Amino acid sequence: MKAITYSETGSSSVLHLVDREPGEPGPGEVRVKVAISGVNPTDWKNRSGATGSLAFDEAVPNQDGAGIVDAAGPGVEGLAVGDRVWLYLSQYQRPTGTAQEYTVALAEHVVRLPEGVSFDVGASLGVPAMTAHRALTVSEDGPSRLHPGALQGKTVLVAGGAGAVGHAAIQLARWAGATVVTTVSGPEKGALATAAGAHHVVNYKTGDAASEIRTIAPDGVDLIVEVAPAQNAELNASVAGPRASIAVYANNGGDTVTLDVRPNMVSNARYQFVLLYTVGDAALKAAQDDVNEAARAGVLEVGEAAGLPLHRYSLADTAAAHDAVENGAVGKVLIDI
């Protein structure tokens, strides 16, 4: 089979296309014939060494993907050969990601794709949708699970609604009944956020974002899904409602956040940091199940018409796919296996 590997961290030039034999699934593992591999920022960061040194002699990149179960190891229940599935966190503490024709993954991180859900959608779930789920379920006064009506009466602000996590957060929040407001940097991204389902789009570069958001939500927003906490700390403090939660899942715009104590104290604001790797098994299982139900309901569609343009690459061009994500491609980068 063909696989992309790297044996040292660095630029995308460390990625190599090789031939190797497919691995055999052990206890609690399944082998998946990969149809599409999804690329996320965490994938190029792992490859580059930004998240730490390489823990294995050789690794195959990419956490997310979709395909068909090809073999199952001892003790696997709920999955069978021939099942269409999506995968998440495939490379977490393991050397084998989805940038290969066959991957061996933990069965607990392999989920049956609902009937009628495409491999494109399946490969786009994983890190973005599950991160969005976690961000939407950490509020003090909010739900721990998502379903229609779970966020009824709540106002959710999604920072950067044209990104992959922002896109999924808009879709999931609207599905759960929230009023969804998003901030974007221009009209093109605004059109994508509207296509994803945002009720209100605020261009933070052309007006007074705080005033616009307060007009939409006079009592303040209940939950903020935050991609750039350093840049948006002042805005968040000015639009947060009573006991609002700011769920931070990225550090775009800076690694250090300065907070004004008084306005955050007055609103009893809560900052909740979100990293999928360490949220715990219960949160992962809840996200997996709710995201799958949303996909079954047709909520998590991808493509430009749904607000998330797709950028496609071949397996041999995985380095270019990584570069596209690292350079800020707007939309979702997929590798056709």
Side-chain angles (χ1 to χ4, degrees):
M1 71 166 188
K2 301 292 186 183
I4 297 293
T5 66
Y6 61 102
S7 55
E8 60 180 332
T9 57
S11 72
S12 62
S13 64
V14 303
L15 299 174
H16 301 288
L17 180 66
V18 302
D19 287 298
R20 57 165 34 168
E21 290 298 316
E24 292 296 328
E29 296 179 331
V30 296
R31 186 171 65 204
V32 176
K33 183 178 182 181
V34 182
I36 299 175
S37 177
V39 187
N40 299 293
T42 188
D43 297 317
W44 73 257
K45 290 176 182 178
N46 287 344
R47 182 220 70 227
S48 72
T51 57
S53 59
L54 182 61
F56 306 96
D57 292 336
E58 183 183 75
V60 175
N62 299 0
Q63 300 286 357
D64 297 343
I68 298 173
V69 174
D70 174 71
V76 172
E77 298 179 355
L79 293 168
V81 173
D83 282 348
R84 298 170 68 255
V85 294
W86 59 279
L87 305 86
Y88 68 93
L89 297 189
S90 298
Q91 199 198 355
Y92 178 53
Q93 297 183 334
R94 295 169 63 84
T96 54
T98 61
Q100 54 187 335
E101 292 181 317
Y102 293 86
T103 190
V104 174
L106 293 174
E108 64 197 71
H109 291 171
V110 179
V111 190
R112 279 187 183 174
L113 263 177
E115 184 176 353
V117 177
S118 70
F119 284 143
D120 282 0
V121 170
S124 303
L125 298 176
V127 169
M130 294 180 68
T131 297
H133 180 280
R134 176 64 174 173
L136 292 168
T137 55
V138 296
S139 177
E140 179 178 3
D141 299 325
S144 61
R145 300 292 298 267
L146 295 182
H147 52 80
L151 290 171
Q152 194 70 40
K154 304 291 186 182
T155 300
V156 173
L157 171 61
V158 178
V165 175
H167 174 263
I170 290 170
Q171 292 174 318
L172 288 171
R174 178 150 184 166
W175 176 60
T179 296
V180 183
V181 185
T182 188
T183 53
V184 297
S185 60
E188 295 83 5
K189 291 183 177 181
L192 294 176
T194 298
H199 296 94
H200 306 278
V201 176
V202 175
N203 185 335
Y204 63 83
K205 288 194 171 183
T206 60
D208 183 342
S211 176
E212 289 186 51
I213 293 168
R214 275 290 182 177
T215 298
I216 296 164
D219 296 327
V221 301
D222 300 289
L223 178 60
I224 300 170
V225 180
E226 184 56 81
V227 66
Q231 292 175 319
N232 293 336
E234 183 178 351
L235 172 65
N236 292 339
S238 65
V239 301
R243 296 179 305 282
S245 288
I246 299 96
V248 178
Y249 70 87
N251 60 343
N252 294 6
D255 293 332
T256 302
V257 181
T258 299
L259 299 177
D260 290 330
V261 173
R262 189 65 184 171
N264 285 290
M265 183 181 291
V266 167
S267 65
N268 279 270
R270 170 189 293 186
Y271 266 80
Q272 171 73 55
F273 290 85
V274 174
L275 182 65
L276 208 58
Y277 298 133
T278 52
V279 296
D281 291 341
L284 286 178
K285 184 64 167 61
Q288 166 190 306
D289 291 348
D290 294 353
V291 163
N292 217 36
E293 282 305 307
R296 189 190 312 277
V299 168
L300 293 168
E301 291 302 304
V302 297
E304 189 154 5
L308 192 72
L310 300 180
H311 308 280
R312 314 194 80 99
Y313 294 82
S314 68
L315 183 62
D317 287 331
T318 294
H322 273 221
D323 289 343
V325 176
E326 184 172 359
N327 293 328
V330 177
K332 183 66 183 180
V333 172
L334 300 178
I335 297 171
D336 291 310
I337 313 292

